[in-house]
Amino acid sequence: MNGEAFNRKKSFGAWTGRVKRAAVIMVLATVCIPWSSGVHAAAAQEDIRVVIFADLGSKYKATVPTVTLKSSGSLSVGQNSGGSFQTWMGLPDSTARFSVDSYRVKVLEGNEAAAIKAAQALQKTNDKPTVFIGSKNGSSVYQVYAGIYASEQSAQAAVQRISSATGAQAEVKGNKHWSTGSYGSEQEANLVRTTIAAAGFDAFTVIQSRGQYAVWVGEESNDSKLSALKTELESKQPRLTLSKVNATQTGLILRQEAGVTTGSQVMSHYMLSGSDNSKVIVNGGNNGIQVVERSQRTYRGEMEIGMTSGQLALVNEVPLEQYLYSVVGAEVYSSWPDEALKAQAVAARSYALAQGNRFQIGNVVDGTLSQAYNGKSSEHANVNEAVDATAGEVIKSGGKVVEAVFSSNAGGVTADASEVWNSGGEAFASVDSSGDTSAQKGAQEWYHVLLSSGKTGYIREDNAKELEGVTEAGLDKITVTAENTNVRPIPKIQSTVTPIAKAQPGEEIIVLEKVPQSGDYAWVRGPFTSAQLAKSLQGKVTGTVPSSINHLDVTKRGPSGRVLEVEANGSPLKVKYPDMFRSAMGGLPSTLFDIASTGSYTVLGADGATSHVSGTQGTQILSASDSSTSSGNGVIVMNEDRHARVIDKTQSFIFTGKGNGHGLGLSQWGANGLAEQGYDYKKILQHYYKNVDIVKD
């Protein structure tokens, strides 16, 4: 994925309305994104745009009905004009809530107790509640709303389930309003709004630009309801001059939101009205802005409130180099050698600058489809220094910025592009990545064992003691050193996974093999039953998924040994691109794997032919005196490398492999290993990306 060099004089993206925005897209180290050779470099500007919440269809969908922004200092809201921020108003508190003026369901209107009861009933549902407080008919009133919905139809579909959950007579509301005109101050607008509300109508003060206010009446979902509202308004408020609010009119509807518990603090709520082109900017100065709904992370830069597909869109606009402070700190360990941190910074910057506006309203997303980005929480002085030391440096090949994809750990050898997304560029080839073993440093080894009960699992070496002597097959024996020692399903401590058994001191346990602890370099996954694999394969492979998988075999590998083809019951499983085998097989760390069955084994005949022997068939055993057939349950088979496993009558599949991620380009753990050997960041990058130059662009 090559891209053209950035033209630093151009602006990018009509949606942004901002001269200083960069178009970038990142890749999370362990997440697969299909290669797109048609993506070219965009214009390099100061800032990039990170989509946090939005409904972008199949590209990205993360939605919330409201978003809470906080700052340790002050917040202000406005718009960007001519490349600079123009303040509309300073927000009265350091905390504010935002939503968009779209379709929603009005659950009920009443007193505080009724509102809280209804809101709490909805909190555990997908129709999230918001409670507003205001004045109507001369007294305070609480109004409960649910959701934000993309269409009137989807809001109407929610009415029945909301009414069922709350017992209230819910109704659909929308973004159609009447305006009573413009006013020069909020106080003047509030006087008009109060008069209309006293007559029993929903009326709202709206800020449309700096120093320009309006009063909007009603919140109807269609023109028929809006017309009926006008008739009623004119009968009760004949002096009002009403005009229909243009659907594209940008405005911030000012409301007061109450919490869902008695005595909750009331906070300001701002509802953005308009079209997908409407947006406002929230500025937190140098203090950063915390997004409560995004794990309370605090971000540098500004927050842009917009709308896509009728849903709230939240975009973080932040200088590229400051963005990289967070990205590099989230992608690799800050304790790594400086040269490894610099290599990561240059790779991340290069990949960024080679991309177009892939996410429409932004350049990256704050999620697993893009590079890890956790705001200020992942920044570290060591990382920031590495980013600053390489400021502006990129990887180029043939005069173009290389789309420098990377992954966590290549498992000892990086991938060829044909093994990942079926395509690539001249900068990518399979190369040695022996530095990946640095991920194993300090990790314990584990015994793969057979218990007297016939169960198999893993015991960590520091919990075991080797016994004298071996079995008749030449296998070692151990016992455990503490009562109730956990026997794990894979060689890794998983607090949320129940151990398969408890071993006791003095119990003789057969060792099948000794393996590394599952981690970024080496791993074990499974066992997966036929039903579990069949479910995982659904929607990820073309054609019919077998209802029962009796045997599963790797039948083709690429230059690095990664899996290109897998057969189930003798028929190939077709995937869009090879790296999809990771998700198709239950979420494997990489495609550098082998498959073993618990209920069968493969026999290589003298003629070179292979056959599958099921544990239910029994196993023919030839001795010096005679031959016999075992039951097939608990039989140990051993390969030419003296790796043993147990065959039983239940068929499931165990995956053993190396690496974490797609394996293409820079290996992060490999870079760490090379840095520990004394390589500088440029040599590291030129090892992983072929025929490239590291230049300051």
Side-chain angles (χ1 to χ4, degrees), residues 474-547:
L475 297 175
D476 293 327
K477 297 180 290 183
I478 63 168
T479 190
V480 296
T481 57
E483 292 185 3
N484 297 317
T485 296
N486 289 322
V487 183
R488 303 282 182 178
I490 67 171
K492 181 180 181 179
I493 295 175
Q494 298 171 293
S495 58
T496 59
V497 178
T498 303
I500 64 167
K502 301 278 188 180
Q504 305 300 332
E507 178 183 353
E508 281 197 359
I509 301 168
I510 297 173
V511 177
L512 301 173
E513 60 179 331
K514 200 171 184 181
V515 300
Q517 180 166 293
S518 276
D520 284 319
Y521 178 67
W523 50 266
V524 177
R525 292 292 185 273
F528 300 123
T529 65
S530 169
Q532 287 173 323
L533 281 179
K535 182 179 180 180
S536 182
L537 289 168
Q538 293 289 347
K540 301 183 184 84
V541 299
T542 58
T544 304
V545 174
S547 57

Side-chain angles (χ1 to χ4, degrees), residues 25 28 54 95-96 118 160 183 248 254 273 397 403 429 438 484 497 518 562:
I25 178 76
L28 182 67
T95 301
Q160 183 174 352
Y183 308 91
T248 63
L254 311 182
S273 184
S397 177
E403 197 168 22
S438 63
N484 297 317
V497 178
S518 276
R562 283 170 169 77

Side-chain angles (χ1 to χ4, degrees), residues 410-468:
V413 58
T414 66
D416 184 83
S418 64
E419 299 172 304
V420 183
W421 299 308
N422 295 322
S423 60
E426 295 179 357
F428 298 93
S430 179
V431 300
D432 172 78
S433 188
S434 56
D436 289 325
T437 57
S438 63
Q440 293 292 106
K441 193 176 295 184
Q444 298 278 356
E445 290 198 307
W446 292 64
Y447 292 105
H448 186 198
V449 300
L450 171 63
L451 304 176
S452 57
S453 64
K455 293 181 178 180
T456 62
Y458 295 86
I459 296 174
R460 201 170 68 184
E461 62 178 348
D462 60 338
N463 293 321
K465 178 177 68 175
E466 292 186 2
L467 299 176
E468 292 184 1

Side-chain angles (χ1 to χ4, degrees), residues 45-59:
Q45 289 88 36
E46 236 173 76
D47 295 0
I48 65 169
R49 297 169 57 82
V50 187
V51 181
I52 298 177
F53 294 116
D55 182 357
L56 303 178
S58 60
K59 285 187 176 181

Side-chain angles (χ1 to χ4, degrees), residues 281-302:
I281 303 295
V282 180
N283 189 301
N286 295 324
N287 298 290
I289 299 175
Q290 183 187 93
V291 182
V292 173
E293 289 75 14
R294 206 49 154 183
S295 303
Q296 300 188 32
R297 294 171 182 162
T298 298
Y299 299 89
R300 293 175 180 265
E302 300 171 338

Side-chain angles (χ1 to χ4, degrees), residues 414 427 431-433 665-667 670-671 674 684-690:
T414 66
V431 300
D432 172 78
S433 188
L666 176 77
S667 169
L674 290 178
I684 292 171
L685 292 169
Q686 288 170 331
H687 172 77
Y688 284 106
Y689 305 103
K690 311 312 293 182

Side-chain angles (χ1 to χ4, degrees), residues 65-67 97-101 148 269-272 305 312:
T66 60
V67 64
R97 299 262 280 172
F98 291 85
S99 64
V100 293
D101 188 22
I148 287 294
H269 187 113
Y270 303 89
M271 187 180 293
L272 177 69
I305 308 291
L312 171 70

